[in-house]
Amino acid sequence: MIAARATRWTWLAYGYAALVACALGYGLLGMPVQVSDSLNNILQASQDSPLHLVYNEFYQRGYLRPFLWGLIRLVFDLSQGHYFEWFRGWHVGQVAVLAGLFVALLRVRRAADAAVVPLGLAALVGIHTFSGTIREAFPINTFMTILLCCYASAWLALGTPRWWRDVAAALLLVFSALTVESGLLIAVIFVAAWLAGARGISRAGVVAQVALVAGYFVLRFVVLGVGAPGLDERASGFGFGVLDRNQLTARFGANPLPFYAYNIAASLSSLFFSEPSGGTFQITQRVLAGQASTLNLVSVGVSALGTALILGYVWSRRAEWRARRFTADDQLVAIFFAVAAANAAICYAYTKDVILSPAGAFYALALAVAARHYIARASQTAVRTAAAGVVLVLLSSGWGFRAVAAQIDLRHAAEATRVEWAYVDRWLGDQGVAPTTDQGRAIVTHLQEDAIWNHPVRPRLAGDWLEMFEP
Amino acid sequence: MSGTRATVLGVMAAAPATFVTLAVLLFAARELSGTTPLSNGPPRNVAEAAGGGEVSEVLRFLRDGQDPREIWLLRPEIISSTVTRATGLEAAIWSGQPLVELLDRRGFIADSATRHHLACLAKDIGSGEVAAYLSPGVDPPCATGAAFAILKERSQTVASPAR
């Protein structure tokens, strides 16, 4: 349970989280509202009344995401025409809250707790599954919304038992599951935490979670007949390449189980080793071709090292776990493994880095917990301290390197987005979604003004050093 | 003793990642203050923006009244050290067909001589897509290397007019 009072180390950790949020926020504010995946959503969300918009989304085919649209409409209405400030500000606010929840979940009380916060936050930002939560927006990044719900769920589950936590947990599940499908992971977090001895949510609350998930499936498949995306919905990474929809159907149409098994295994491997990415073994291919970048090697290296540290933590705690004696740190790590398994299972039909972002966010927490214990264990003898020092410096530098890569990637994405805005008329025509109303045309003009003239592109980074960060 | 070792390990775990965060913040602060660290700085005119493929900056310069038909000074790092005086239209050839088309639609490639020169320049630098756009359906009759030679010669002539 999270009980002890905050200390100066707690506030120092929150202060550091605020700095990380500022650094990332600076990058996020360099990005305009996007064209692809955002402009059309804004135009669509602006057309109907909010209630109709949400209601109609219950009757889409393949996807059930009504609250995603409700949230877009809410921020759209709140913005009163200040689209850039509100949509981009919303994204920055989400990152700030996420960083704060990270520190809250780590329960920083002592210097040793605070020491692992920079490493953990670097892993949170640097892990490849996080990239899709910052470099894209729709125009509200749904996956970031789910990350916040996931961390908030863990905070509810690991806290002191209170009746209102049950209510909040149920509301959180309903909101997240009807925002995007991976929101169902909220239930996994509550159940896993409960099984690991956390009692922030009561038994009745956990039963309610299971009932809500069952209700979700009944609503989706029986009542609304929304169904699920089919095998031929989109291209998918496989081995060293990408199979298009026709190839997928030809190869796995008769028996998709091997493909599903591949996606689950690939998702787990991606989470633990940063390879493959989106189902494709790109880094392996580059290594074999002698073309791997520094970032490629660092990514796999620090992921493997971090995974080893987490597994080492589990090994050191095995006797306690067998006896079902869990500390709050154990509970966080247990949640990570549960979310990893469930998140990989959700990717059975289509694996993509950003879908794994909830598991990636808990990976960062598990890594911080494992590092904290590693410091305590390794400081017993001088030799072990020396070896541990090397491991920790490698981890901290490597994840820091990946965090910088995320910032650079964000900057490149911002530039690419402005190119899209320069050619927006052609894009609207090609997509057949050119607005037909004055209001729609005004929104396009306003957003283009924002992207090109009101918030111009930042100077392009230059230098040979950028080669190290090539993805 | 183990407490001291734990402190040392804590510092080793925290220092590199903290350094990275502070470095990013320092970079942001410097950029906000108007300096451009780790960069060649923003493009200085429409030709630099076009040569660097910064389409949104091209639009900004156009709105500010710069004319892509005029000859502009380019820093060597934008296209190459041999191309330092070029029109915005010529520089746009290096960025590809979409930007050339954008400038064309805005009426900046009005006469056939300019169109022909740009098509030949596109052929000289191996940009077949741009050449095909500027000379649709026909292979433009060009003396190989002549259009690019004009640019090189202009760039080497210090006294040649440029903005």
Side-chain angles (χ1 to χ4, degrees):
Chain A
M1 284 193 294
I2 303 168
R5 285 186 169 215
T7 66
R8 63 192 166 115
W9 295 107
T10 313
W11 300 118
L12 186 68
Y14 278 116
Y16 182 80
L19 289 181
V20 169
C22 284
L24 204 49
Y26 178 70
L28 287 170
L29 290 176
M31 168 88 81
V33 174
Q34 288 158 314
V35 176
S36 55
D37 290 336
S38 288
L39 175 57
N40 202 31
N41 286 1
I42 291 177
L43 291 173
Q44 200 175 326
S46 67
Q47 282 167 0
D48 216 340
S49 75
L51 279 178
H52 264 112
L53 181 73
V54 172
Y55 178 81
N56 288 338
E57 288 300 318
F58 277 99
Y59 296 96
Q60 298 297 313
R61 184 133 301 276
Y63 301 98
L64 181 60
R65 301 169 177 178
F67 289 167
L68 178 158
W69 289 90
L71 200 53
I72 293 172
R73 179 54 189 256
L74 176 71
V75 178
F76 178 83
D77 286 344
L78 286 171
S79 74
Q80 298 284 311
H82 299 283
Y83 307 125
F84 176 88
E85 290 77 4
W86 273 85
F87 282 111
R88 302 313 299 148
W90 188 272
H91 211 160
V92 174
Q94 284 185 314
V95 165
V97 174
L98 188 76
L101 281 170
F102 182 93
V103 174
L105 285 169
L106 267 186
R107 303 167 330 283
V108 175
R109 299 292 180 268
R110 302 163 299 147
D113 303 332
V116 297
V117 168
L119 167 63
L121 284 172
L124 176 69
V125 174
I127 196 164
H128 61 298
T129 57
F130 191 74
S131 167
T133 69
I134 52 172
R135 86 190 309 273
E136 297 171 323
F138 317 110
I140 290 174
N141 192 299
T142 324
F143 297 103
M144 178 62 82
T145 306
I146 297 304
L147 288 194
L148 287 171
C149 293
C150 284
Y151 271 11
S153 304
W155 181 82
L156 285 171
L158 300 181
T160 318
R162 294 280 186 276
W163 67 267
W164 57 263
R165 287 180 188 264
D166 288 356
V167 178
L171 292 175
L172 206 53
L173 175 59
V174 171
F175 171 75
S176 55
L178 293 178
T179 295
V180 70
E181 287 74 6
S182 55
L184 289 169
L185 291 170
I186 300 298
V188 174
I189 292 168
F190 286 122
V191 172
W194 197 82
L195 289 175
R199 292 294 178 265
I201 304 300
S202 70
R203 180 191 294 264
V206 173
V207 170
Q209 292 286 314
V210 176
L212 283 169
V213 171
Y216 172 88
F217 283 110
V218 171
L219 179 74
R220 179 171 185 135
F221 293 101
V222 181
V223 178
L224 300 174
V226 171
L231 186 67
D232 59 349
E233 193 82 13
R234 49 173 88 84
S236 188
F238 191 82
F240 287 139
V242 175
L243 298 179
D244 65 28
R245 296 188 296 179
N246 293 334
Q247 289 170 318
L248 275 175
T249 308
R251 202 156 163 183
F252 298 107
N255 178 21
L257 290 180
F259 178 65
Y260 294 161
Y262 173 83
N263 277 339
I264 293 172
S267 300
L268 285 172
S269 174
S270 181
L271 184 62
F272 290 116
F273 302 106
S274 292
E275 173 75 343
S277 175
T280 307
F281 285 83
Q282 293 170 344
I283 295 179
T284 308
Q285 199 173 22
R286 285 191 194 134
V287 168
L288 293 174
Q291 295 169 339
S293 69
T294 307
L295 177 61
N296 292 156
L297 301 176
V298 168
S299 295
V300 174
V302 292
S303 276
L305 197 56
T307 297
L309 205 66
I310 295 169
L311 292 177
Y313 172 81
V314 174
W315 181 253
S316 74
R317 299 285 304 157
R318 65 192 184 284
E320 297 293 307
W321 283 34
R322 277 202 209 107
R324 300 194 54 75
R325 286 192 296 268
F326 299 100
T327 64
D329 279 354
D330 293 336
Q331 288 161 353
L332 268 182
V333 176
I335 291 173
F336 160 61
F337 280 108
V339 171
N343 211 163
I346 281 178
C347 293
Y348 76 96
Y350 175 60
T351 182
K352 192 177 169 190
D353 291 344
V354 73
I355 303 175
L356 286 166
S357 55
F362 281 101
Y363 179 96
L365 274 170
L367 177 62
V369 165
R372 177 159 65 188
H373 283 254
Y374 187 55
I375 289 172
R377 287 201 318 271
S379 56
Q380 302 302 319
T381 68
V383 176
R384 288 179 71 183
T385 302
V390 173
V391 169
L392 290 168
V393 167
L394 281 175
L395 274 172
S396 189
S397 313
W399 283 106
F401 187 84
R402 292 185 76 177
V404 172
Q407 292 273 4
I408 292 170
D409 184 49
L410 197 55
R411 199 165 175 111
H412 290 162
E415 191 180 330
T417 299
R418 286 187 174 82
V419 173
E420 289 180 357
W421 275 113
Y423 301 120
V424 69
D425 292 337
R426 196 168 70 172
W427 183 85
L428 288 167
D430 291 346
Q431 301 288 318
V433 292
T436 52
T437 63
D438 286 344
Q439 187 205 14
R441 282 187 285 271
I443 290 172
V444 173
T445 305
H446 190 121
L447 288 170
Q448 191 185 34
E449 288 279 330
D450 272 349
I452 295 177
W453 287 281
N454 299 334
H455 303 279
V457 68
R458 290 173 181 158
R460 185 182 288 171
L461 298 175
D464 294 340
W465 61 275
L466 281 169
E467 287 172 16
M468 288 191 299
F469 293 94
E470 278 177 10
Chain B
M1 190 62 190
S2 116
T4 310
R5 288 196 201 110
T7 304
V8 170
L9 287 178
V11 170
M12 290 172 110
T18 305
F19 172 78
V20 163
T21 301
L22 295 178
V24 171
L25 286 170
L26 180 67
F27 174 88
R30 284 193 62 191
E31 206 166 57
L32 286 171
S33 72
T35 53
T36 53
L38 305 174
S39 149
N40 295 324
R44 293 173 184 171
N45 55 53
V46 68
E48 281 204 352
E54 299 192 44
V55 192
S56 62
E57 291 299 279
V58 170
L59 293 180
R60 285 168 52 79
F61 284 119
L62 291 180
R63 185 178 280 192
D64 288 348
Q66 292 197 4
D67 189 340
R69 292 165 296 197
E70 290 182 12
I71 295 169
W72 298 88
L73 283 172
L74 285 90
R75 286 168 290 167
E77 58 269 26
I78 303 297
I79 294 176
S80 82
S81 56
T82 55
V83 181
T84 54
R85 280 175 167 77
T87 67
L89 294 172
E90 288 167 338
I93 303 290
W94 270 267
S95 293
Q97 185 255 333
L99 179 56
V100 174
E101 186 180 337
L102 184 146
L103 293 170
D104 191 16
R105 282 187 181 179
R106 290 177 173 236
F108 291 111
I109 312 178
D111 60 283
S112 58
T114 303
R115 187 173 296 273
H116 179 73
H117 166 68
L118 293 174
C120 291
L121 181 60
K123 274 183 77 174
D124 285 347
I125 66 166
S127 182
E129 191 189 27
V130 177
Y133 168 76
L134 289 166
S135 182
V138 234
D139 190 23
C142 307
T144 307
F148 187 56
I150 292 172
L151 238 76
K152 280 175 70 175
E153 191 182 333
R154 189 197 299 146
S155 298
Q156 285 162 5
T157 313
V158 179
S160 66
R163 296 189 65 179

